Amino acid sequence: MSLNGNINFCIKPSHSIIGKTCIPGDKSISHRAIIFAAIAEGESRIKNFLQGEDTLATIRVFQEMGVSIKNNGDYVLVQGVGLYGLHAKNPTLNFGNSGTSARLLAGLLSAQKFSSQLIGDESLMKRPMIRVVNPLKKMNAKISCSKQGTLPIKIKGGQNIKGMCYELPVLSAQLKSCLLIAGLYAEGETEIIENTATRDHTERMLANFSHPVAKKNSKISIKKAKRLIGCEITVPGDFSSAAYFIVAATLASNSNVTLENVGVNPTRNAMIKIMKLMGADIELQNERLESGEPIATINIKSSELVGIDIPEELVSVAIDELPIILVAAASAKGTTRLSGAAELRVKESDRIQSMLDGFVVLGIKAEALDDGMIVEGGKFNGGSINSYGDHRIAMAFSIAGVIAKKPIIINNCNNVATSFPEFVETGKNLGINIDYV
Ligand code: S3P
């Protein structure tokens, strides 16, 4: 850690990446497990919960709304208060860096008796919220956000929420989930039309809590709930965290890595398809279901990659993996083109700009597009990268360091703790030459 409290990483060229490891719990699924456990009746036990800052923010917010949640590090025990049992001692709820918590809870809070205000850290305060505010208004919520369409969101409690039929104008699982959660409280039925799939963890998690949603072609419908029933959930390892080691093992020569109990939900794992199109050697073993989610052991061996045009239909189901896929593309033979990924511009940082800036420092030829990037494969030089406080940018460029000619320093890595606090230790155990500086 530097003197100003910033965490920086230094990655030196590493030889083979070898070993077997477990990946910490999935961030998206951990959030949803807490949300539904909090408003269910009875106790829920959540195993392999992600102990990251984002998911801990979700726990904290529910504790502030009167839910007893005990987190002993091994599992989380939640005493559900029922659909109408939340109350807000302090109406201002702070979601830190977590866009998922803020957007999903905007749906929940719109249907409560009490009024609330949602805020977050500097990065979250800049992210688009109008996408959830407008449709919630259609459901009769009294909700507003800043003139720029950002936090703070203000919600007036005690409204009669109504079902609606809504076609998603942006491909966002956070938006879909926000509306499904409001739909739990809405008179009649809430129907969401999603023309391209986004991650379906909310739908799968609701079935665990005994309130299944219906899905027919592109239409997802949810009825007003009488109750959710507490249950036991085992959270799969986070595929988005596994992705860094999938690329590390592919790029470093003579590597062989096995990642155990990783979530491979088809609405999340398109990165495997993309990497295979580029020539990667990735094998799924022991595929099974855990708490309604597909999981598997993933084995990765080194291989030579070639550049491709990334199929646009895979973009929304690989959205969080695109920075690390671009790192793979930067060391592939030939050109890779990514388009249809404008959402990257409104993540924890503008990920298209953050990746371009990093590539310039490392001597990789790349061109930013409004909705993607063109990358020419080459060899990474060493250098000092600004992660712009974005966890996925920090971890993606750490993996570039594995095969770079000289060490890479990544600045401003504090936010890696939002999704993968054990990233450095897990990397070291697999033979990556990474440390804090
Ligand atoms: C998430 C959905 C994605 C993803 C985010 C988590 C979720 O965002 O980028 O990290 O848990 O629903 P969008 O749905 O807004 O693309």
Side-chain angles (χ1 to χ4, degrees):
M1 194 185 294
S2 71
L3 285 176
N4 58 9
N6 263 343
I7 292 174
N8 305 316
F9 297 163
C10 173
I11 307 92
K12 296 190 180 135
S14 315
H15 301 294
S16 355
I17 313 292
I18 293 184
K20 197 185 256 196
T21 191
C22 282
I23 296 291
D26 184 278
K27 181 156 78 75
S28 294
I29 299 173
S30 296
H31 283 302
R32 286 150 171 90
I34 294 294
I35 294 171
F36 296 129
I39 56 170
E41 292 178 8
E43 182 174 280
S44 294
R45 183 185 290 257
I46 305 165
K47 294 187 197 155
N48 201 34
F49 177 79
L50 172 66
Q51 303 286 340
E53 281 173 7
D54 278 10
T55 44
L56 293 175
T58 295
I59 289 193
R60 201 185 50 245
V61 163
F62 278 103
Q63 287 170 329
E64 284 168 21
M65 293 193 286
V67 184
S68 159
I69 305 180
K70 293 212 169 70
N71 178 3
N72 69 12
D74 263 350
Y75 58 86
V76 179
L77 261 193
V78 182
Q79 307 299 332
V81 295
L83 286 163
Y84 299 95
L86 298 172
H87 54 266
K89 283 176 240 151
N90 174 358
T92 299
L93 300 164
N94 189 335
F95 293 89
N97 193 246
S98 181
T100 309
S101 328
R103 294 201 179 109
L104 270 57
L105 266 74
L108 181 74
L109 291 163
S110 290
Q112 302 304 311
K113 296 181 294 286
F114 54 86
S115 298
S116 51
Q117 171 169 235
L118 290 70
I119 58 168
D121 72 5
E122 207 188 321
S123 147
L124 186 55
M125 292 300 283
K126 291 192 197 125
R127 296 184 62 193
M129 293 293 155
I130 198 82
R131 59 181 64 187
V132 295
V133 168
N134 282 344
L136 286 170
K137 277 185 184 160
K138 281 189 200 267
M139 295 180 85
N140 205 34
K142 278 254 171 333
I143 180 168
S144 63
C145 57
S146 77
K147 275 201 197 89
Q148 295 73 34
T150 59
L151 295 180
I153 284 180
K154 292 182 181 157
I155 297 173
K156 190 164 184 309
Q159 309 304 312
N160 227 342
I161 299 301
K162 295 192 168 64
M164 64 164 176
C165 179
Y166 187 75
E167 184 173 333
L168 296 180
V170 260
L171 281 178
S172 163
Q174 294 182 351
L175 168 57
K176 170 179 67 175
S177 303
C178 161
L179 302 177
L180 289 175
I181 293 172
L184 287 172
Y185 294 85
E187 284 311 325
E189 208 164 8
T190 303
E191 294 178 337
I192 314 283
I193 309 209
E194 169 183 80
N195 288 319
T196 305
T198 65
R199 63 187 69 188
D200 65 359
H201 303 307
T202 300
E203 295 90 309
R204 289 173 189 262
M205 187 60 77
L206 274 166
N208 291 323
F209 285 89
S210 308
H211 189 73
V213 300
K215 175 144 181 92
K216 199 168 177 207
N217 304 323
S218 59
K219 191 192 280 178
I220 303 154
S221 349
I222 187 165
K223 292 202 172 82
K224 182 172 177 162
K226 289 199 181 72
R227 67 180 64 84
L228 304 185
I229 300 172
C231 62
E232 183 163 312
I233 301 289
T234 300
V235 178
D238 196 323
F239 181 78
S240 300
S241 299
Y244 303 103
F245 302 115
I246 294 177
V247 172
T250 300
L251 299 186
S253 51
N254 301 318
S255 297
N256 189 340
V257 166
T258 300
L259 306 171
E260 291 180 305
N261 302 330
V262 183
V264 288
N265 180 318
T267 60
R268 279 291 289 287
N269 71 4
M271 181 251 193
I272 296 181
K273 282 195 197 131
I274 296 170
M275 290 291 293
K276 282 190 172 172
L277 287 174
M278 297 173 82
D281 180 352
I282 304 171
E283 199 193 326
L284 298 192
Q285 299 155 351
N286 195 13
E287 289 185 64
R288 59 211 187 272
L289 274 186
E290 181 84 84
S291 299
E293 287 280 349
I295 67 168
T297 300
I298 305 181
N299 179 258
I300 313 102
K301 297 194 182 85
S302 325
S303 39
E304 300 283 321
L305 299 182
V306 290
I308 58 164
D309 287 359
I310 298 176
E312 273 202 24
E313 71 274 12
L314 297 182
V315 163
S316 69
V317 277
I319 192 76
D320 290 344
E321 292 68 66
L322 292 173
I324 186 63
I325 290 171
L326 289 174
V327 166
S331 57
K333 196 164 170 236
T335 308
T336 296
R337 288 178 198 81
L338 167 68
S339 58
E343 274 295 299
L344 286 183
R345 295 223 177 254
V346 291
K347 293 291 180 190
E348 286 83 329
S349 71
D350 172 344
R351 288 185 176 158
I352 293 176
Q353 191 61 46
S354 305
M355 290 305 297
L356 182 73
D357 292 352
F359 283 152
V360 168
V361 170
L362 299 181
I364 296 294
K365 280 196 200 134
E367 182 192 331
L369 310 173
D370 288 346
D371 67 342
M373 187 175 270
I374 301 174
V375 185
E376 298 293 336
K379 292 243 176 302
F380 296 112
N381 296 326
S384 180
I385 302 285
N386 189 345
S387 73
Y388 297 100
D390 183 333
H391 56 139
R392 303 223 180 270
I393 300 299
M395 291 188 276
F397 279 114
S398 298
I399 301 306
V402 169
I403 52 157
K405 293 185 214 153
K406 295 244 168 74
I408 294 182
I409 305 278
I410 323 265
N411 296 302
N412 208 352
C413 298
N414 299 46
N415 276 346
V416 168
T418 60
S419 68
F420 197 171
E422 307 86 340
F423 175 69
V424 168
E425 289 66 31
T426 309
K428 274 188 186 181
N429 287 340
L430 292 174
I432 296 182
N433 224 330
I434 179 167
D435 229 318
Y436 298 99
V437 281

